[in-house]
mmCIF file of all heavy atoms in Angstrom:
data_model
loop_
_atom_site.group_PDB
_atom_site.id
_atom_site.type_symbol
_atom_site.label_atom_id
_atom_site.label_comp_id
_atom_site.label_asym_id
_atom_site.label_seq_id
_atom_site.Cartn_x
_atom_site.Cartn_y
_atom_site.Cartn_z
ATOM 1 N N SER A 349 -7.768 -16.181 -23.579
ATOM 2 C CA SER A 349 -7.200 -15.753 -24.756
ATOM 3 C C SER A 349 -5.597 -15.744 -24.751
ATOM 4 O O SER A 349 -4.951 -15.429 -25.772
ATOM 5 C CB SER A 349 -7.662 -14.359 -25.121
ATOM 6 O OG SER A 349 -7.215 -13.415 -24.216
ATOM 7 N N GLY A 350 -5.031 -16.068 -23.511
ATOM 8 C CA GLY A 350 -3.607 -15.911 -23.351
ATOM 9 C C GLY A 350 -3.179 -14.645 -22.987
ATOM 10 O O GLY A 350 -1.912 -14.390 -22.805
ATOM 11 N N GLY A 351 -4.107 -13.647 -22.786
ATOM 12 C CA GLY A 351 -3.661 -12.302 -22.416
ATOM 13 C C GLY A 351 -4.490 -11.890 -21.219
ATOM 14 O O GLY A 351 -5.088 -12.598 -20.485
ATOM 15 N N PRO A 352 -4.391 -10.587 -20.847
ATOM 16 C CA PRO A 352 -5.069 -10.041 -19.701
ATOM 17 C C PRO A 352 -6.590 -10.251 -19.836
ATOM 18 O O PRO A 352 -7.140 -10.085 -20.935
ATOM 19 C CB PRO A 352 -4.655 -8.651 -19.668
ATOM 20 C CG PRO A 352 -3.503 -8.505 -20.516
ATOM 21 C CD PRO A 352 -3.655 -9.539 -21.542
ATOM 22 N N GLY A 353 -7.264 -10.528 -18.705
ATOM 23 C CA GLY A 353 -8.721 -10.642 -18.761
ATOM 24 C C GLY A 353 -9.369 -9.465 -18.026
ATOM 25 O O GLY A 353 -8.693 -8.614 -17.427
ATOM 26 N N GLN A 354 -10.665 -9.338 -18.283
ATOM 27 C CA GLN A 354 -11.373 -8.177 -17.805
ATOM 28 C C GLN A 354 -11.321 -8.000 -16.230
ATOM 29 O O GLN A 354 -11.174 -6.864 -15.717
ATOM 30 C CB GLN A 354 -12.826 -8.146 -18.303
ATOM 31 C CG GLN A 354 -12.943 -8.023 -19.829
ATOM 32 C CD GLN A 354 -14.376 -7.949 -20.251
ATOM 33 O OE1 GLN A 354 -15.277 -8.294 -19.556
ATOM 34 N NE2 GLN A 354 -14.609 -7.624 -21.575
ATOM 35 N N VAL A 355 -11.570 -9.127 -15.547
ATOM 36 C CA VAL A 355 -11.562 -9.138 -14.143
ATOM 37 C C VAL A 355 -10.238 -8.697 -13.558
ATOM 38 O O VAL A 355 -10.059 -7.837 -12.665
ATOM 39 C CB VAL A 355 -11.985 -10.443 -13.588
ATOM 40 C CG1 VAL A 355 -11.945 -10.459 -12.028
ATOM 41 C CG2 VAL A 355 -13.514 -10.746 -13.985
ATOM 42 N N THR A 356 -9.188 -9.392 -14.192
ATOM 43 C CA THR A 356 -7.817 -9.099 -13.698
ATOM 44 C C THR A 356 -7.527 -7.572 -13.879
ATOM 45 O O THR A 356 -7.025 -6.897 -12.986
ATOM 46 C CB THR A 356 -6.774 -9.841 -14.569
ATOM 47 O OG1 THR A 356 -7.135 -11.273 -14.367
ATOM 48 C CG2 THR A 356 -5.432 -9.572 -14.152
ATOM 49 N N GLU A 357 -7.816 -7.014 -15.084
ATOM 50 C CA GLU A 357 -7.468 -5.647 -15.351
ATOM 51 C C GLU A 357 -8.259 -4.656 -14.444
ATOM 52 O O GLU A 357 -7.780 -3.671 -14.000
ATOM 53 C CB GLU A 357 -7.803 -5.345 -16.787
ATOM 54 C CG GLU A 357 -6.780 -6.064 -17.742
ATOM 55 C CD GLU A 357 -5.400 -5.566 -17.569
ATOM 56 O OE1 GLU A 357 -4.999 -4.558 -18.172
ATOM 57 O OE2 GLU A 357 -4.621 -6.292 -16.847
ATOM 58 N N ALA A 358 -9.549 -4.961 -14.180
ATOM 59 C CA ALA A 358 -10.389 -4.131 -13.358
ATOM 60 C C ALA A 358 -9.903 -4.080 -11.912
ATOM 61 O O ALA A 358 -9.864 -3.025 -11.327
ATOM 62 C CB ALA A 358 -11.835 -4.632 -13.406
ATOM 63 N N LEU A 359 -9.464 -5.261 -11.409
ATOM 64 C CA LEU A 359 -9.060 -5.324 -10.025
ATOM 65 C C LEU A 359 -7.638 -4.572 -9.956
ATOM 66 O O LEU A 359 -7.483 -3.906 -8.992
ATOM 67 C CB LEU A 359 -8.862 -6.793 -9.571
ATOM 68 C CG LEU A 359 -10.173 -7.454 -9.257
ATOM 69 C CD1 LEU A 359 -9.953 -8.955 -9.062
ATOM 70 C CD2 LEU A 359 -10.896 -6.929 -8.040
ATOM 71 N N LYS A 360 -6.803 -4.772 -10.940
ATOM 72 C CA LYS A 360 -5.563 -4.098 -10.908
ATOM 73 C C LYS A 360 -5.743 -2.617 -10.967
ATOM 74 O O LYS A 360 -5.073 -1.857 -10.250
ATOM 75 C CB LYS A 360 -4.734 -4.604 -12.137
ATOM 76 C CG LYS A 360 -3.296 -3.856 -12.237
ATOM 77 C CD LYS A 360 -2.523 -4.330 -13.322
ATOM 78 C CE LYS A 360 -1.159 -3.608 -13.479
ATOM 79 N NZ LYS A 360 -0.350 -4.089 -14.626
ATOM 80 N N ALA A 361 -6.615 -2.073 -11.859
ATOM 81 C CA ALA A 361 -6.843 -0.644 -11.993
ATOM 82 C C ALA A 361 -7.346 -0.124 -10.632
ATOM 83 O O ALA A 361 -6.982 0.994 -10.189
ATOM 84 C CB ALA A 361 -7.835 -0.394 -13.084
ATOM 85 N N ARG A 362 -8.241 -0.801 -10.034
ATOM 86 C CA ARG A 362 -8.908 -0.363 -8.784
ATOM 87 C C ARG A 362 -7.773 -0.308 -7.643
ATOM 88 O O ARG A 362 -7.760 0.713 -6.891
ATOM 89 C CB ARG A 362 -10.013 -1.341 -8.314
ATOM 90 C CG ARG A 362 -10.605 -1.090 -7.010
ATOM 91 C CD ARG A 362 -11.373 0.148 -6.895
ATOM 92 N NE ARG A 362 -12.049 0.369 -5.610
ATOM 93 C CZ ARG A 362 -12.249 1.457 -4.989
ATOM 94 N NH1 ARG A 362 -11.910 2.667 -5.597
ATOM 95 N NH2 ARG A 362 -12.899 1.593 -3.919
ATOM 96 N N LEU A 363 -7.008 -1.371 -7.586
ATOM 97 C CA LEU A 363 -6.018 -1.469 -6.517
ATOM 98 C C LEU A 363 -4.977 -0.306 -6.739
ATOM 99 O O LEU A 363 -4.579 0.429 -5.790
ATOM 100 C CB LEU A 363 -5.279 -2.720 -6.517
ATOM 101 C CG LEU A 363 -4.095 -2.925 -5.608
ATOM 102 C CD1 LEU A 363 -4.577 -2.872 -4.123
ATOM 103 C CD2 LEU A 363 -3.411 -4.279 -5.829
#
Side-chain angles (χ1 to χ4, degrees):
S349 64
Q354 293 183 349
V355 174
T356 300
E357 292 295 277
L359 287 171
K360 179 180 180 179
R362 173 68 174 149
L363 176 64

